[in-house]
Amino acid sequence: VLVVKKVKSILESVSERLQSELSEKGLDSKSILIIDDEADNASVNTAKPGNDPTTINKAIRAIFNKFPIASYVGYTATPFANVFIDPSDEDPENLDLFPSDFITQLHAPDNYFGGRKVFPKDSDSLPRCLRLISEEEPLFLPVIHDKYTQYFGLSESLKEAIHSFLINNVVRTLRNQPTKHRSMMINITRFNDVQTEIWYRVQEYIKTLTDAIEELSNKSVDAFIADKNMRKIYELFTESDFYKIVREGSEEYNTSPISWSEIQAGLYDEIKSFNTVVINSRNGKMTQLDPNGKNKRFDYEDYENEGARVIAIGGMVLSRGLTLEGLMTSYYSRNAGTYDTLLQMCRWFGYRPKYEDLCRVYLTQENIDRFDAVLDAVEDLKIQLSEMERQGKTPRDFGLMIKECPETLETTMLITARNKLRGTEKIECHLNYGGVYADTSKLVREAAVNNHNTKALRYFISKIEEEFGWQRDRYFMAQNIKKFDVAELIRKLKIPYVNKKFDTEGLSEYIENSEIFPYWDVVIATGDRNREPAMTFTINGIALPCVQRLFHVNGENDTYIRIGGANNRVMDPSIFDAGLWIPKAQREAILAEKHNNDPKGRDFDELSATDYLRRRQCPILIIYPIDLKTEAYTAERNTPGINVKKLESLKADIKSSIGDETPLMAFAIGFPKKESGVTVTYRANKIKLDQLNANLEVDDEEEGVEDDDD
């Protein structure tokens, strides 16, 4: 059994020793188990594709891949980077550390103080354990500062946090826990020199409190609170809602009432035992600073008999892996840029036996919002992991995605470091679709997928065929179509994920559950009825001319047919006019208003899709039977290096593979702007992205889809 640090020289020494053992003793039948703590930190390969793996990742892989039987188990509270590891191992002799076999959740027991106990979901008021601090208060250290920042003194909220920690120490002793360790955390800067300045200011304040308490704690309450600092301690205990359950006792926590006289009597014994320490890379350990330069390492083991009372000041070293024994009071105002960094700073999560009611966390509103957003993403990931387990799948065949930070936050966080996001991609999911429109401008080249969508469409049309007719001799449409029929069609369609706004799963669920949009308009887009010969799409005995569209491909290996030119769009915005009646005068008034409100003073000749959607009452589904054009664009003809004949041949082959007389089915959708659209963005790993593409595979026997033998 070897216990090693994730340090290059140590890991390389281990690797060399194991190689020697394997060579000399023939240990080819031996197995190895590697347990990697904080597996998202240092272990993940952050090198660019094609480059050698990063140092620690390469060293761990070198050990892992030596053995014919090898198991690698990673532990971390923040698995985001691990989920995003590229799973495509091209070299079986040098496998990476993607968790391909399992991801197991370690469920927190009831007595664990964390997550939603600190940041309860949908709470109308600030939770009891949270104390809101303002960045505007005097002497508050700005969240953004540099290493040269001077720290002039403690803010009132930080003084209150120290008062709370002092009171909590007395309470724990009164609860018959005199030898238990107690800690307070101050994490407000990552700079070592600033941390040292904070240490001096805290030391000064502790001395001021100690001198006053030594003199006044045995005197009357009136004499005690004559000192302004003592009055603050007194009022904090006797008047704040936080200490109400301490004053009155609690059945929930099985505690007895404690009076102010008991608190006052115990203050001096507690504060005279306080240690203030600094934890940073300069010191390496928790260190009791000494103005004379004789710094002493702090160790909880030195206080086993009496119990430590420690205020720990730190930054980066404090933020990962370190346990602060008996942590009761946390003061935090850092500006973490990623989910994993933020969660690792939650040293206040943990087991708090017999003192959970004393735990308090001081945070700014921005950080409360951030923690809430990150916990929401964690819960969403846990739901995916539970679903993976329910289906009996592994991470190798079950794609995962992490919900990204909402844009409502003033400073958007990344899920993890940028160099750990390579190979991932953003996916947008709409929670509601008011004013949203989308089309399927990127379609797969396989005829089987197009045939599947055509069959699904034929089944949908068979149920509403009698409703179709010409409106104003412009639009072939059906009105008042039930939302359930539209949702059923959308759910059955096979649409590539690259049409990110046309998310069939999210759309169908929203349409089905929508109370504001019970009925739909359905339009079948038509081409020039005077064009001869024309490919047609027949409904109810009426042969409708197909829409003609140019298309392009990004090279021979492009998976998708991309409708249109640079705008890559199927729909003409004017089709959202179907079912509307906007008189000419009203149109002109709308265009004039657009001109007047435009910062550049531009003139507008046509209404936009948004203009129409603002005036629609029903959402609209548009079906596009497309006759693909194969001629090259003018732009393509004028682009140096483009082989126009080869391009036209490639396009003709695509059209032929779909069927010379078979229209390509595309779709568009638009929702009236009756409600504000809310979009949730996810970051999907490579397996999820591959599955969204693979989801285009056609099932020959799907319920409700009839074969069309004609």
Side-chain angles (χ1 to χ4, degrees):
V1 177
L2 300 176
V3 180
V4 302
K5 290 183 177 182
K6 285 191 278 190
V7 175
K8 176 185 177 183
S9 58
I10 297 175
L11 290 172
E12 288 178 347
S13 295
V14 170
S15 182
E16 291 172 5
R17 174 177 171 179
L18 291 174
Q19 184 61 55
S20 176
E21 296 276 343
L22 289 168
S23 300
E24 293 177 9
K25 300 180 181 179
L27 301 180
D28 57 350
S29 64
K30 294 292 183 181
S31 58
I32 188 169
L33 168 63
I34 299 175
I35 300 174
D36 185 356
D37 191 26
E38 303 288 1
D40 65 312
N41 188 37
S43 303
V44 177
N45 179 25
T46 57
K48 293 181 180 179
N51 292 356
D52 286 341
T54 46
T55 303
I56 303 302
N57 175 265
K58 183 177 181 180
I60 295 174
R61 288 163 65 172
I63 298 171
F64 175 72
N65 288 298
K66 288 184 188 299
F67 289 81
I69 303 173
S71 293
Y72 169 87
V73 181
Y75 280 82
T76 179
T78 50
F80 311 118
N82 307 86
V83 166
F84 291 148
I85 294 173
D86 189 346
S88 52
D89 299 307
E90 299 179 358
D91 183 2
E93 301 298 321
N94 189 26
L95 299 178
D96 204 347
L97 304 178
F98 177 75
S100 57
D101 296 308
F102 64 87
I103 298 176
T104 297
Q105 298 183 62
L106 302 181
H107 298 284
D110 293 337
N111 63 337
Y112 184 77
F113 184 80
R116 289 305 179 191
K117 281 194 177 182
V118 183
F119 306 95
K121 199 172 182 66
D122 301 324
S123 176
D124 293 331
S125 58
L126 198 66
R128 176 180 171 275
C129 63
L130 286 184
R131 167 71 160 83
L132 186 62
I133 54 179
S134 171
E135 297 184 40
E136 303 301 321
E137 70 171 314
L139 297 178
F140 182 88
L141 179 66
V143 174
I144 299 176
H145 58 272
D146 58 33
K147 64 181 180 180
Y148 303 109
T149 298
Q150 289 185 288
Y151 189 73
F152 295 105
L154 309 185
S155 64
E156 286 302 313
S157 60
L158 182 49
K159 288 180 180 179
E160 181 192 296
I162 293 172
H163 299 165
S164 181
F165 179 60
L166 175 56
I167 292 171
N168 290 349
N169 273 276
V170 179
V171 173
R172 291 199 66 187
T173 297
L174 291 171
R175 289 179 180 175
N176 200 29
Q177 296 179 309
T179 61
K180 296 293 184 181
H181 300 312
R182 302 92 178 267
S183 301
M184 173 181 175
M185 179 185 80
I186 301 175
N187 189 347
I188 60 178
T189 181
R190 66 186 178 90
F191 298 110
N192 294 347
D193 289 341
V194 183
Q195 290 165 12
T196 300
E197 286 196 42
I198 295 169
W199 178 87
Y200 278 110
R201 296 296 183 181
V202 172
Q203 280 286 89
E204 288 175 353
Y205 190 62
I206 294 297
K207 186 178 186 308
T208 298
L209 293 179
T210 303
D211 291 344
I213 290 170
E214 182 180 20
E215 178 185 350
L216 301 171
S217 61
N218 292 324
K219 295 185 178 181
S220 67
V221 174
D222 289 340
F224 183 85
I225 64 175
D227 181 281
K228 64 177 183 179
N229 288 320
M230 299 306 102
R231 176 181 287 276
K232 290 174 183 176
I233 297 172
Y234 170 79
E235 290 177 347
L236 177 62
F237 180 80
T238 59
E239 298 179 9
S240 72
D241 289 338
F242 178 75
Y243 282 108
K244 183 177 180 180
I245 63 174
V246 177
R247 298 191 301 265
E248 298 179 357
S250 169
E251 291 186 9
E252 179 184 356
Y253 296 106
N254 192 28
T255 59
S256 301
I258 293 176
S259 66
W260 167 253
S261 60
E262 292 175 288
I263 296 295
Q264 183 174 321
L267 290 174
Y268 182 67
D269 285 341
E270 297 300 332
I271 198 167
K272 70 179 184 181
S273 300
F274 274 20
N275 285 294
T276 307
V277 303
V278 172
I279 311 169
N280 57 35
S281 56
R282 179 182 295 165
N283 300 307
K285 299 288 184 179
M286 290 197 291
T287 305
Q288 296 168 286
L289 300 184
D290 187 322
N292 299 318
K294 298 179 180 179
N295 297 342
K296 177 185 176 184
R297 174 186 167 185
F298 177 88
D299 195 324
Y300 284 105
E301 292 183 1
D302 296 336
Y303 298 86
E304 285 298 316
N305 295 329
E306 66 272 32
R309 278 77 166 154
V310 59
I311 298 176
I313 301 164
M316 302 305 292
V317 175
L318 186 63
S319 299
R320 182 181 283 267
L322 180 69
T323 299
L324 294 173
E325 300 283 350
L327 180 63
M328 296 186 290
T329 308
S330 302
Y331 192 95
Y332 174 87
S333 64
R334 293 282 301 284
N335 189 13
T338 63
Y339 287 13
D340 39 21
T341 300
L342 188 73
L343 283 179
Q344 288 290 349
M345 291 180 176
C346 295
R347 308 324 304 172
W348 52 82
F349 291 170
Y351 297 93
R352 305 288 182 256
K354 298 183 180 179
Y355 66 97
E356 181 180 314
D357 63 313
L358 301 177
C359 295
R360 199 161 205 200
V361 185
Y362 288 71
L363 293 173
T364 61
Q365 183 62 59
E366 184 173 329
N367 274 320
I368 291 174
D369 294 341
R370 288 182 172 197
F371 279 113
D372 187 67
V374 173
L375 288 172
D376 190 44
V378 170
E379 289 172 349
D380 187 90
L381 176 60
K382 287 181 177 180
I383 291 172
Q384 295 178 59
L385 295 176
S386 296
E387 179 63 17
M388 179 175 69
E389 182 180 6
R390 188 189 68 80
Q391 295 183 22
K393 293 186 176 181
T394 69
R396 173 66 72 180
D397 50 29
F398 188 95
L400 296 166
M401 54 187 185
I402 313 294
K403 187 183 289 187
E404 291 212 319
C405 185
E407 294 181 358
T408 53
L409 294 184
E410 292 183 9
T411 305
T412 301
M413 289 180 293
L414 295 173
I415 295 171
T416 187
R418 293 185 188 278
N419 55 12
K420 296 177 182 177
L421 293 174
R422 296 190 183 107
T424 68
E425 198 166 313
K426 287 186 178 182
I427 296 176
E428 288 187 350
C429 299
H430 292 271
L431 296 184
N432 66 56
Y433 290 80
V436 170
Y437 59 93
D439 65 13
T440 60
S441 59
K442 302 175 184 68
L443 300 168
V444 290
R445 292 165 57 163
E446 289 82 359
V449 173
N450 191 55
N451 291 339
H452 164 87
N453 287 344
T454 302
K455 290 176 183 178
L457 177 59
R458 287 286 186 190
Y459 178 73
F460 168 71
I461 289 174
S462 70
K463 295 193 292 183
I464 62 171
E465 198 163 7
E466 299 301 322
E467 305 296 328
F468 278 101
W470 289 101
Q471 185 193 78
R472 288 185 280 156
D473 201 36
R474 289 180 60 193
Y475 304 111
F476 195 77
M477 67 182 297
Q479 295 184 287
N480 297 318
I481 304 305
K482 293 179 181 178
K483 64 179 182 179
F484 301 106
D485 292 329
V486 176
E488 182 184 33
L489 169 65
I490 298 295
R491 184 175 287 112
K492 288 175 180 175
L493 295 177
K494 302 290 184 181
I495 304 297
Y497 87 95
V498 288
N499 298 281
K500 294 180 181 181
K501 291 176 69 175
F502 207 99
D503 164 33
T504 56
E505 184 176 343
L507 275 170
S508 58
E509 183 177 353
Y510 173 75
I511 293 169
E512 201 167 58
N513 295 327
S514 174
E515 295 182 1
I516 196 170
F517 300 131
Y519 297 102
W520 281 66
D521 292 340
V522 178
V523 177
I524 299 178
T526 56
D528 183 359
R529 281 180 272 174
N530 297 318
R531 180 170 58 89
E532 294 286 349
M535 184 186 294
T536 60
F537 183 74
T538 302
I539 295 181
N540 203 14
I542 301 174
L544 302 173
C546 293
V547 174
Q548 278 203 309
R549 288 288 187 271
L550 290 165
F551 71 102
H552 68 285
V553 291
N554 292 342
E556 295 183 29
N557 298 321
D558 193 359
T559 309
Y560 307 112
I561 299 168
R562 302 169 188 269
I563 304 298
N567 63 1
N568 193 198
R569 188 176 67 190
V570 171
M571 66 184 187
D572 178 349
S574 65
I575 201 165
F576 288 134
D577 186 31
L580 291 179
W581 178 253
I582 304 177
K584 180 180 179 181
Q586 185 180 355
R587 289 176 183 269
E588 291 176 350
I590 296 169
L591 294 173
E593 183 181 2
K594 288 166 65 75
H595 167 76
N596 293 334
N597 293 334
D598 186 71
K600 297 181 179 179
R602 291 172 296 179
D603 291 323
F604 296 89
D605 298 325
E606 300 290 340
L607 299 186
S608 67
T610 301
D611 293 328
Y612 290 119
L613 291 175
R614 283 178 178 150
R615 289 156 181 83
R616 294 194 65 84
Q617 296 301 311
C618 290
I620 185 170
L621 168 67
I622 304 145
I623 299 158
Y624 284 91
I626 296 176
D627 178 10
L628 293 172
K629 294 182 179 180
T630 53
E631 64 266 27
Y633 289 110
T634 302
E636 290 171 340
R637 291 186 178 279
N638 296 333
T639 301
I642 292 288
N643 186 326
V644 174
K645 288 186 178 180
K646 182 177 180 180
L647 186 62
E648 289 183 338
S649 174
L650 175 61
K651 292 181 177 182
D653 288 344
I654 292 172
K655 182 175 178 180
S656 176
S657 69
I658 294 169
D660 287 330
E661 299 303 320
T662 304
L664 180 69
M665 288 301 171
F667 304 86
I669 203 165
F671 292 89
K673 197 170 180 60
K674 288 186 176 181
E675 54 183 356
S676 57
V678 176
T679 302
V680 175
T681 305
Y682 285 85
R683 175 73 62 168
N685 71 357
K686 191 174 187 303
I687 289 174
K688 184 69 174 181
L689 296 174
D690 290 344
Q691 287 176 341
L692 288 168
N693 280 326
N695 192 40
L696 300 171
E697 188 176 332
V698 177
D699 187 347
D700 290 332
E701 297 182 3
E702 286 197 44
E703 183 180 351
V705 180
E706 298 176 348
D707 287 334
D708 184 1
D709 294 330
D710 297 333

